[in-house]
């Protein structure tokens, strides 16, 4: 190694001056960029999946519907409650309520100088998000709510900018007024009649909207009161909506599903997961990953073989001057390491540019593909290691073949 160190400066100058090396560096940079982007995308998808499982309550929820016998009891007696108290005692069930009473829209809200509409959601222990400031409520409390720490009405229809968001601290302790409206079919007039009722809620707590993948206009109120609001608006029902069951953790969902099926209930996941779409995304990922790795390998093969063939006389001269095989291999490997590092550094700048463009203009498209923005060091490490290993193996293979040639054989026209 001591004999090689003085040659590093020479190797640097030689690679910079050689235009063929510049072309190779550019090609390797583009291949590296493609590999880095696809690895980072897959990391974001994996991160998003884990994050959603941990933070989105819908992943812990199951929609259950009673079987024939239970349904007949309800149709015979509309006051039949499906033994809801017994269902709540099923292990790992933290809440169960009518699926039709999960949320409602509060329109024409007024608080400070803010107006618009928000969603009011069923709140209860194990269902409501964790309060980070203020206090929470019990399921049977009245006229209180918890809201996001970054608030913006109408965010269901549009995405607000950071400057539009309202600091939840300014709303804490304030009273929010709004109207809940519903269209009821009137048989006499054979038309829908809109009914409005005003409600007031005091904001007693705030939750972290980023931690719960929530809308900026999603607030929670006591579950019992939400049921009353919706039931008052819609009146008595002569049909079955089914129930929304919240489980303590996603790992226990299969156990809870088995319990309900044993009671002749049909079950469905609250959160919809399109396996076909995910399968297509996975296929695309593996295809691009394969193309990236093969591209790095083919570019290395084409460049390194040509380089070594063109330097046969130089290699023969080094051998005749007394350099051993390991020293000659080291010279070429140093060349390769320099080019790999140069290519990787360029790809980092290109990646920063691409990442800035995607985050600014295509962020929502990224979310639709199931990827939550998150940068990790591992895709960078894997990309660099893949480039170095592929090019080093090709380099070692061809230079080993070349070293076996004698200087006389090279002068006589022998090639690799």
């Amino acid at each position: 190694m001591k004999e090689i160190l003085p040659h590093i400066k020479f190797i640097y100058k030689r690679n910079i001056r050689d235009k063929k090396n510049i072309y190779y560096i550019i090609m390797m940079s583009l291949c590296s960029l493609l590999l880095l982007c696809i690895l980072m995308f897959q990391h974001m998808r994996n991160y998003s999946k884990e994050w959603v499982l941990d933070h989105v309550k819908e992943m812990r929820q199951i929609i259950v519907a009673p079987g024939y016998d239970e349904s007949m009891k309800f149709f015979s007696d509309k006051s039949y409650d499906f033994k809801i108290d017994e269902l709540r005692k099923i292990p790992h069930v933290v809440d169960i309520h009518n699926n039709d009473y999960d949320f409602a829209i509060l329109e024409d809200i007024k608080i400070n100088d803010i107006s618009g509409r928000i969603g009011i959601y069923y709140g209860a222990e194990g269902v409501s998000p964790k309060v980070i400031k203020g206090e929470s409520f019990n399921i049977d409390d009245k006229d209180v709510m918890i809201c996001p720490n970054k608030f913006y009405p109408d965010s269901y229809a549009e995405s607000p900018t950071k400057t539009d968001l309202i600091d939840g601290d300014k709303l804490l302790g304030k009273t929010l007024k709004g109207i809940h409206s519903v269209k009821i079919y009137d048989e006499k007039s054979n038309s829908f009649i809109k009914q409005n009722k005003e409600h007031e809620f005091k904001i007693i707590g705030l939750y972290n909207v980023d931690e719960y993948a929530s809308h900026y206009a999603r607030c929670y109120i006591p579950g019992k009161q939400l049921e009353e609001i919706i039931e008052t608006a819609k009146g008595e029902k002569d049909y079955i909506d089914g129930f929304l069951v919240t489980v303590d953790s996603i790992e226990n969902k299969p156990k809870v599903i088995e319990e309900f099926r044993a009671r002749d209930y049909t079950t469905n996941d609250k959160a919809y997961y399109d396996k076909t779409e995910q399968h297509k995304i996975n296929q695309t990922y593996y295809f691009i990953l394969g193309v990236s790795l093969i591209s790095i390998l083919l570019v290395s093969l084409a460049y390194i073989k040509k380089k070594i063939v063109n330097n046969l006389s130089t290699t023969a001269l080094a051998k005749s001057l007394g350099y051993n095989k390991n020293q000659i291999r080291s010279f070429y490997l140093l060349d390769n390491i320099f080019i790999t590092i140069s290519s990787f550094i360029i790809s980092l700048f290109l990646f920063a540019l691409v990442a800035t463009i995607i985050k600014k203009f295509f962020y929502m498209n990224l979310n639709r593909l199931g990827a939550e923005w998150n940068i990790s060091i591992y895709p960078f490490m894997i990309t660099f290691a893949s480039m170095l290993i592929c090019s080093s193996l090709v380099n070692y293979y061809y230079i080993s073949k070349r070293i076996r040639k004698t200087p006389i054989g090279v002068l006589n026209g022998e090639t690799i």
Side-chain angles (χ1 to χ4, degrees):
M1 188 67 185
K2 291 181 180 180
E3 296 87 351
I4 296 173
L5 290 176
H7 298 278
I8 292 179
K9 187 175 181 180
F10 167 73
I11 290 170
Y12 168 75
K13 289 182 178 179
R14 186 181 66 185
N15 279 290
I16 290 297
R17 290 171 181 170
D18 191 341
K19 290 185 178 180
K20 294 178 182 177
N21 288 341
I22 301 299
Y23 297 145
Y24 177 52
I25 289 173
I26 292 173
M27 291 299 296
M28 287 292 282
S29 298
L30 295 176
C31 294
S32 171
L33 175 64
L34 181 62
L35 179 59
L36 180 56
C37 287
I38 194 64
L39 288 173
M40 192 64 73
F41 171 73
Q42 185 67 2
H43 159 74
M44 290 181 183
R45 287 185 66 229
N46 292 334
Y47 170 81
S48 177
K49 184 177 179 180
E50 294 173 3
W51 189 88
V52 166
L53 293 179
D54 291 337
H55 295 87
V56 179
K57 69 178 176 65
E58 283 80 5
M59 299 301 296
R60 297 186 288 115
Q61 291 182 323
I62 310 162
I63 299 174
V64 301
Y68 178 79
D69 291 339
E70 291 291 291
S71 298
M72 288 300 102
K73 292 177 183 178
F74 172 78
F75 289 123
S76 299
D77 179 9
K78 294 301 188 329
S79 64
Y80 181 65
D81 66 352
F82 299 94
K83 300 178 181 178
I84 197 78
D85 290 332
E86 290 185 17
L87 296 178
R88 288 194 177 102
K89 294 177 182 178
I90 294 176
H92 307 297
V93 171
V94 296
D95 182 80
I96 178 170
H97 62 274
N98 193 301
N99 187 40
D100 200 35
Y101 297 161
D102 195 42
F103 79 98
I105 300 296
L106 208 60
E107 299 177 304
D108 297 329
I109 67 160
K110 293 178 179 62
I111 179 170
N112 294 351
D113 296 326
I114 304 166
S115 61
R117 67 173 187 164
I118 64 170
I120 48 175
Y121 283 75
Y122 180 97
E125 184 179 355
V127 180
S128 305
K130 181 181 178 181
V131 172
I132 59 171
K133 193 165 187 179
E135 57 183 305
S136 188
F137 51 69
N138 295 317
I139 191 171
D140 52 0
D141 286 343
K142 294 275 189 178
D143 303 326
V144 291
M145 68 166 41
I146 60 173
C147 290
N149 59 337
K150 300 173 187 176
F151 186 78
Y152 186 80
D154 295 330
S155 63
Y156 292 93
E158 56 181 299
S159 297
T161 63
K162 289 184 179 180
T163 55
D164 293 329
L165 294 175
I166 301 161
D167 186 357
D169 288 346
K170 297 178 180 178
L171 307 179
L172 195 60
K174 304 292 184 180
T175 298
L176 182 147
K177 297 180 180 180
I179 294 173
H180 175 246
S181 62
V182 64
K183 291 182 178 180
I184 304 295
Y185 179 73
D186 181 51
E187 293 182 354
K188 294 181 179 179
S189 61
N190 194 28
S191 62
F192 286 93
I193 300 174
K194 188 175 182 179
Q195 295 183 353
N196 297 329
K197 186 172 182 181
E198 188 174 78
H199 297 277
E200 293 185 5
F201 300 94
K202 182 180 180 181
I203 300 176
I204 62 171
L206 303 174
Y207 70 90
N208 189 336
V209 66
D210 297 322
E211 187 176 345
Y212 287 91
S214 186
H215 288 283
Y216 300 112
R218 174 181 286 194
C219 295
Y220 289 79
I221 68 171
K224 294 291 186 183
Q225 186 174 15
L226 180 63
E227 290 181 353
E228 291 173 6
I229 290 172
I230 297 175
E231 195 170 64
T232 301
K234 293 189 174 182
E236 185 179 357
K237 298 183 301 179
D238 57 359
Y239 59 91
I240 302 171
D241 294 304
F243 300 101
L244 189 58
V245 180
T246 304
V247 185
D248 56 7
S249 70
I250 192 169
E251 290 80 9
N252 292 322
K253 274 178 69 175
K255 299 176 184 177
V256 175
I257 288 173
E258 287 181 10
E259 289 285 347
F260 275 95
R261 287 179 177 173
R263 291 168 170 78
D264 195 30
Y265 277 76
T266 59
T267 62
N268 288 290
D269 281 336
K270 167 75 171 178
Y272 175 70
Y273 181 77
D274 191 340
K275 293 184 178 180
T276 302
E277 182 181 354
Q278 295 303 314
H279 180 66
K280 289 179 180 178
I281 293 175
N282 286 334
Q283 284 183 323
T284 305
Y285 161 72
Y286 288 118
F287 174 76
I288 298 177
L289 179 65
V291 168
S292 304
L293 293 172
I294 292 172
S295 298
I296 291 174
L297 188 61
L298 291 178
V299 170
S300 300
L301 281 169
Y303 167 78
I304 293 173
K305 181 178 179 180
K306 190 173 183 180
K307 179 179 179 180
I308 293 176
V309 168
N310 291 338
N311 291 337
L312 285 176
S313 57
T314 303
T315 307
L317 179 61
K319 196 172 182 180
S320 64
L321 290 174
Y323 287 93
N324 60 40
K325 293 180 180 179
N326 288 333
Q327 288 175 322
I328 296 173
R329 282 196 191 97
S330 298
F331 289 137
Y332 278 97
L333 288 174
L334 277 174
D335 266 354
N336 180 66
I337 291 172
F338 170 79
I339 291 173
T340 300
I341 292 175
S342 301
S343 302
F344 185 67
I345 291 173
I346 293 173
S347 70
L348 291 181
F349 285 106
L350 293 174
F351 176 79
L353 177 63
V354 171
T356 302
I357 294 172
I358 289 176
K359 194 171 183 180
K360 188 169 184 179
F361 299 105
F362 303 102
Y363 184 73
M364 295 305 296
N365 300 76
L366 192 68
N367 286 156
R368 291 189 189 101
L369 293 174
E372 182 73 21
W373 189 264
N374 181 266
I375 302 295
S376 171
I377 190 65
Y378 295 110
F380 295 100
M381 295 170 61
I382 294 171
T383 299
F384 181 75
S386 300
M387 292 172 62
L388 187 60
I389 291 171
C390 286
S391 56
S392 296
L393 288 175
V394 173
N395 206 315
Y396 188 87
Y397 171 75
Y398 280 120
I399 194 60
S400 295
K401 286 185 68 177
R402 173 60 201 94
I403 288 174
R404 290 196 292 267
K405 305 293 182 182
T406 64
I408 296 175
V410 172
L411 293 174
N412 290 332
E414 290 184 16
T415 59
I416 295 175

